[in-house]
Amino acid sequence: MLFISHDLSVVAYLCDRVGVLYHGRLVEIAATRELFNAPGHPYTRTLVAAIPGSGKRHEASIPAGGSTSEGGCAYAGRCPHARDPCRTVMPALRPSASNTLIACHRAGEI
């Protein structure tokens, strides 16, 4: 079953695996527990931090300004970690050390 929601608390309760979209592009796919305990993509981190009671509220702000990049990562204009090639090369979903799939050039560094 595919469940689509903006309410991550409900997603955490109902789902075994989670796919996170940013501007219609998958940025992370992970087992629910892994995603909520150790989000790998900067956008996923922002979403998880915004959950009331997460204890991570200080990380929840998305930098103002910035737009999606032409050809690069859709989140690069708002990502505090964006560098080259983030703005010019679309990152592919790749396996991470935690056995999740993350579309981020800097996933192993941040």
Side-chain angles (χ1 to χ4, degrees):
M1 175 188 331
L2 176 65
F3 178 72
I4 300 171
S5 177
H6 287 107
D7 188 336
L8 291 181
S9 296
V10 174
V11 170
Y13 180 75
L14 290 177
C15 301
D16 295 321
R17 291 187 56 76
V18 179
V20 177
L21 294 169
Y22 183 78
H23 282 264
R25 296 179 182 160
L26 275 168
V27 296
E28 187 163 359
I29 301 172
T32 303
R33 176 174 274 158
E34 182 66 32
L35 185 115
F36 285 94
N37 288 334
H41 193 278
Y43 179 63
T44 307
R45 290 179 186 170
T46 300
L47 293 177
V48 170
I51 298 170
S54 70
K56 300 177 182 178
R57 194 74 177 149
H58 64 280
E59 300 173 13
S61 62
I62 296 175
S67 60
T68 58
S69 299
E70 292 280 333
C73 176
Y75 192 59
R78 294 185 176 265
C79 182
H81 307 288
R83 306 285 185 275
D84 290 328
C86 302
R87 295 174 183 90
T88 57
V89 179
M90 174 68 66
L93 276 170
R94 296 182 310 233
S96 70
S98 61
N99 206 25
T100 64
L101 296 173
I102 302 171
C104 179
H105 293 294
R106 303 199 60 216
E109 304 169 31
I110 54 175

